[in-house]
Amino acid sequence: MTRHEIITGHVMSFTEDPFSIAPTASVTWHEALLIRDGTIIATGDLDTLRQQAPSATLTRHDGCLICPGFIDAHVHYPQTAIIASWGARLIDWLERYTFPEEMRFADPAHAAAAADRYLDLTLAHGTTTVSSFCTSHAASVDAFFTAAQARGLRAAAGKTCMDRNAPPALCDTAQSAYDDSAALIARWHGVDRLCYVITPRFAPTSSADQLAALGALWANHPDCLMQTHLSEQIEEIAWVAELFPKARDYLDVYETFGLLGDRALFGHAIHLTAREASRLSQSGAALIHCPTSNSFIGSGLFDIGRRLAEGQRIGLATDTGGGSSFSMLRTMAAAYEIGQLTGTVLHPAQLLWLATAGSARALHMGDRIGTIAPGMEADLVVLDLASTPAIATRHARADDIWDAIFPTIMMGDDRAIRDLRIMGQPLRAG
Ligand SMILES: [Zn+2]
């Protein structure tokens, strides 16, 4: 049976990249949108849409912001239970908190429970798509995709490959990383709304042989994404230089092994050399900005203005659990704050674009999600722009739509999520 629904509110449609023109000119506002069988059919004024679909059910969210579901381009779902762990820098953070937690994912029941918990939390915060690192256990990937599939999500994930500088219980080998990943691609890639991401954790925990094996795997499956970490902390960069003395720089390690391309996602990418920045923009790879993580772990300031000027493709992410929040609203606020510290004042349209269309473009999903337009999948989040007494007080003083939205970006959390749709359907319990 055909299902039609009209939803009213401040429907935000990006028609341009807000970094390429005046941000306010990048958005067209509509009074309502029409969904049919999970797809956005039309946007426009309510009367016109009612004429177009007289039998449609009507859901009124007048005064709320209706935007694409948030897209979190870099997360570690296995780190859900260790978010906000105190007092470490990257490498000892991995050893003290991350690796012991990831070892627990040898138990498929633990992995299944963690995946359910993680997706319930992110959905409650308005995030409808993530790209997740799993653990080195293939079953952790099965658990994640099973939970995402049950919720009807468009989601990306991969087995985190590591064959050195990690506890033996978490280490695979070059061959098993290749074989496990290939089997997971066959099982999950392109199934329903799921896509596989080839996932070396980062250069220090993979041998040259393993990186080469994963480069070969990507060459055999070029429609998969590839995600890893790049130049997050100064100590890490020095360690990579020690481990790969022949490499020109950190990025060169990945490039040498076939792990640079336009479907590559590099988390952090804070401390880039001029050569690295130039190679990244030439390759079309995406830099994933993780602002709460970068301040929480003390990694540094991602200079978004400079990266935009270089023409880099940029996505936005929480990096849970190195990041300190599941919320893309909080993440947009942190991006704004780090922008302030690096001399780039991000407009609310630019922040919302990074969390939706920008991250969709980074994940090569921009033809399906991340924008409200006819033909797009109806993954939507509806934001109450006066969700707490403090935000409501500030909202009452707003003199235009952007001024009405900005307090929710800066101070909003899961209480702002009024409604959420996955392919047009209200959230169902996992
Ligand atoms: Zn990460």
Side-chain angles (χ1 to χ4, degrees):
M1 197 183 80
T2 303
R3 288 176 53 103
H4 278 100
E5 182 181 11
I6 293 170
I7 305 178
T8 64
H10 297 296
V11 179
M12 183 186 71
S13 291
F14 282 110
T15 50
E16 301 279 346
D17 174 346
F19 292 102
S20 67
I21 59 167
T24 53
S26 67
V27 172
T28 303
W29 293 100
H30 304 284
E31 186 183 9
L33 63 83
L34 172 62
I35 299 169
R36 184 181 67 210
D37 294 335
T39 301
I40 298 166
I41 298 300
T43 53
D45 63 77
L46 179 58
D47 289 346
T48 306
L49 297 186
R50 293 203 91 161
Q51 282 167 16
Q52 191 174 337
S55 63
T57 56
L58 177 64
T59 304
R60 298 204 79 121
H61 287 303
D62 300 349
C64 292
L65 175 65
I66 302 181
C67 61
F70 297 137
I71 300 168
D72 190 342
H74 178 121
V75 310
H76 299 256
Y77 95 82
Q79 298 176 13
T80 299
I82 57 161
I83 193 168
S85 289
W86 181 85
R89 288 184 60 81
L90 175 63
I91 292 159
D92 65 312
W93 195 85
L94 287 170
E95 287 169 0
R96 271 162 65 185
Y97 299 118
T98 304
F99 291 155
E101 181 63 20
E102 291 192 359
M103 280 190 242
R104 302 173 63 150
F105 285 70
D107 173 6
H110 178 81
D116 280 334
R117 183 79 183 126
Y118 171 76
L119 289 175
D120 289 345
L121 285 166
T122 51
L123 287 163
H125 286 84
T127 299
T128 51
T129 290
V130 303
S131 182
S132 186
F133 288 64
C134 300
T135 67
S136 52
H137 313 95
S140 74
V141 185
D142 291 329
F144 178 83
F145 278 136
T146 299
Q149 186 180 41
R151 291 162 177 79
L153 303 180
R154 182 163 289 288
K159 169 189 141 77
T160 297
C161 301
M162 298 192 282
D163 67 347
R164 64 170 171 172
N165 294 323
L170 286 177
C171 282
D172 50 18
T173 65
Q175 189 65 47
S176 70
Y178 184 100
D179 293 344
D180 287 353
S181 302
L184 288 162
I185 290 169
R187 199 175 312 148
W188 293 109
H189 186 60
V191 174
D192 294 340
R193 304 179 76 203
L194 309 175
C195 90
Y196 192 80
V197 194
I198 294 166
T199 307
R201 171 170 241 121
F202 67 155
T205 49
S206 287
S207 65
D209 283 351
Q210 180 167 83
L211 293 173
L214 294 174
L217 180 67
W218 199 19
N220 291 338
H221 299 278
D223 57 329
C224 286
L225 296 163
M226 191 291 299
Q227 65 185 352
T228 189
H229 299 85
L230 174 67
S231 294
E232 181 175 357
Q233 292 205 337
I234 298 297
E235 306 93 301
E236 170 207 8
I237 296 167
W239 193 19
V240 170
E242 251 172 63
L243 291 167
F244 297 93
K246 290 188 192 140
R248 284 174 289 186
D249 46 46
Y250 196 159
L251 182 68
D252 194 40
V253 174
Y254 294 129
E255 185 167 11
T256 299
F257 296 108
L259 296 168
L260 176 62
D262 75 337
R263 299 179 83 84
L265 310 167
F266 291 104
H268 307 287
I270 301 169
H271 309 284
L272 300 177
T273 65
R275 195 203 77 87
E276 289 175 310
S278 158
R279 283 299 296 135
L280 285 162
S281 63
Q282 283 165 8
S283 70
L287 314 187
I288 309 301
H289 181 22
C290 306
T292 70
S293 171
N294 294 345
S295 52
F296 182 73
I297 312 183
S299 301
L301 303 176
F302 180 84
D303 188 345
I304 195 167
R306 182 170 174 186
R307 301 303 168 218
L308 288 162
E310 292 163 354
Q312 310 284 2
R313 190 186 285 245
I314 297 172
L316 187 65
T318 60
D319 189 29
T320 47
S324 53
S325 175
F326 295 94
S327 168
M328 288 300 281
L329 290 170
R330 175 71 198 107
T331 303
M332 285 181 251
Y336 177 80
E337 291 160 354
I338 290 184
Q340 288 282 52
L341 289 169
T342 54
T344 301
V345 182
L346 294 169
H347 187 274
Q350 294 171 328
L351 294 165
L352 284 163
W353 185 88
L354 285 168
T356 57
S359 281
R361 189 182 67 168
L363 298 177
H364 290 259
M365 296 175 180
D367 58 339
R368 305 285 183 87
I369 56 171
T371 312
I372 296 179
M376 302 295 281
E377 296 169 353
D379 288 355
L380 304 167
V381 62
V382 179
L383 297 176
D384 177 349
L385 296 177
S387 60
T388 69
I391 296 173
T393 302
R394 171 66 184 81
H395 178 264
R397 294 291 179 87
D399 49 20
D400 66 20
I401 184 70
W402 296 113
D403 200 30
I405 291 169
F406 190 58
T408 288
I409 291 178
M410 292 309 300
M411 298 195 289
D413 54 30
D414 52 338
R415 290 169 289 180
I417 310 304
R418 168 75 69 89
D419 197 352
L420 187 85
R421 300 305 171 95
I422 306 296
M423 294 291 283
Q425 298 290 314
L427 193 55
R428 51 182 196 263

